[in-house]
Amino acid sequence: MIQFSEVSLQRGTQFLLEEADLTIFEGQKVGLIGANGAGKSSLFAMIKGELNSDTGELILPGQRRIAFMAQEVEETQRSALDYCLDGDDKLREIEKNIAKAQQDGDDHAHANWLGEFESANGYTAQSRAETLLQGLGFKMADMHKPVSDFSGGWRIRLNLAKALMCPSDILLLDEPTNHLDLDAVMWLENWLRQYPGTLLLISHDRDFLDAICSHIVHLYQKKLTLYKGNYSNYERQRAEHLAQQQVNYEKQQAKRAHLQQYVDRFRFKADKAKQAQSRLRMLEKMETIGPAHIDSQFEFSIPVAEKTSQQLVNLSHANLGYISETGTQTVQLENSNFALRDGQRIGLLGPNGAGKSTLIKSIVGELPVLSGERVTGENLKVGYFSQHQLSALDLEASPLLHIQRLSPRVLESEIRRYLGGFGFIGDDALRAVKGFSGGEKARLALSLIAWTKPNLLVLDEPTNHLDLEMRQALTEALQAFPGSILLVSHDRHLLNSTVDEFYLVADNCIQNFDGDLTAYYAWLQARQNNTAQVEKAKQEVVKLDKTDRKEERRKAAEMREKLRPLRKKIEKHEKAVQKAQEYLDKISEAMSDTSLYEAEQKDKLQSLLEDEAKWKKSLAENEEAWFEAQEELEEAESQ
């Protein structure tokens, strides 16, 4: 159980929490929502022990492992796989102890730590880490690349994998979907649904919250309010609460007006003064109920260009991809045919790296087509949003100045009124961009696009860094936009609410996808299962090949051992034959001496003849034995 009891937390001169109460029970999956800057990340820091409350008490369960997703990745040459495995710090400690026991020659300690290794599921750790990384979009070829080779977004994915790798009782995730594509979001959603511990999740993705959370905590006006159910249930409950609050507010205001009228009328009359003072004290003590209101500061629309073309962009038999600095072409989409007409609202689906961004960049003209044609309508006016445009903002300029550069003659008051709809109210419109958060930069980029009055909106992950209120405002603005939309997003609520049809980018081609996001998830699962089966089959072939080679080596060793006596026997007879022949050659040479046949050499001759007979017999016997052994060897080898 995690319990906040009258907790207050002050950062600088501002209170983030003020006498807040909250109880989270073991196994609950809780979504934490609230405006940017309300204190959600500070609440996580308190649970991790990095911040202490100013007043009140935070009670955490003892002997519980807390895993959390770091927001930064240190520069390291460790491989992606090792970095993920580092998330299980207990397993890493066991591995160190095993290595130390081996080094010290301590067999007892070594056996003990091997038992601990098995209990910590050490033998499956690598396969589990690979599964996590693949689920988050990494390929097998990426497993052994150093962390430093990956971009910032992919490093955040590594942090997420590291957090999921850690066996934990409490898991804290702060905006885990920000740098994920739709496929990875769907995979993570399924993983978290099966997580057995207590989950605290900060997210601005309402469909993600809906699919996972059993409770929602709303951090609002320095209080923590717990709602049972997922995000949609929270919305209904809060709407009912606000509606009731509005009724109570109106009743209270009528009562206050009646009391105030009585006080104003009779407070200076002697016979009514006592009653008037009593009602005045009642007014002072009466708790003020805030009026129900839609508290989002975001409300804007996206105007469309006055002129448009029926056919906005047409790609015909086009090869799409990149040209390297050396001039080498890399084709991602072959012989592509894709057309955007006025009023079309298309969502792009497809696995990570399949070419969705390549298609978008080719449509807006950021990438030239490698072959084929790209034809644009006469009145095409594109509003293009992508993450790299946030870094293209002038860090020294204010939102007001950014708009003034586009329209120097427009009145400042009109620009400030426009920027207010994107949350740049008052002095915020005059602040330099260098002090902006990621969400503020995204809002500014969207405001600049809307200001240009496009007739085609091309949006590549526009909701990254945006909170729930801004996402809702963007959804409503896109619903009302009369022009064409081409959208890539991991926010399923945005996709479902704003597009009319889907196209699938996969396997080097673009095709219409006849189905919704549920059908796409089923397609994705089938594809992943097929890929997994193919990979498993390859591994089985490799494993079988290794097994066959091992078996062949074992049989060869057995055969060598079996044939060893025969080979030794053959070698023995070969030496005996050679020895007999050498002696016979010497005897033959000696007997060629004519003096040997004289009477006085009779005994010597007789000795040589006996030796000759003996060695001839030895030669014949060993030759026969050699032939028999050789035949036996050939027969054994042929079996």
Side-chain angles (χ1 to χ4, degrees), residues 487-532:
L487 175 63
V488 173
S489 179
H490 65 260
D491 189 319
R492 285 160 291 176
H493 178 70
L494 183 68
L495 282 167
N496 281 323
S497 303
T498 58
V499 305
D500 300 325
E501 55 184 320
F502 292 107
Y503 274 74
L504 179 64
V505 181
D507 303 322
N508 304 109
C509 66
I510 310 160
Q511 57 186 332
N512 184 267
F513 185 77
D514 186 17
D516 56 11
L517 291 181
T518 302
Y520 172 66
Y521 184 63
W523 176 87
L524 192 65
Q525 289 290 99
R527 178 187 176 90
Q528 289 172 344
N529 290 339
N530 184 56
T531 302

Side-chain angles (χ1 to χ4, degrees), residues 10 80 114 244 257 271 303 323 392-393 421 448 495 541 577 593 600-601 630:
Q10 187 174 3
L114 283 177
Q244 185 60 46
D271 60 337
I323 302 176
L393 295 170
L448 296 176
L495 282 167
V541 169
V577 168
D593 185 1
E600 59 269 18
Q601 299 289 338
Q630 190 66 36

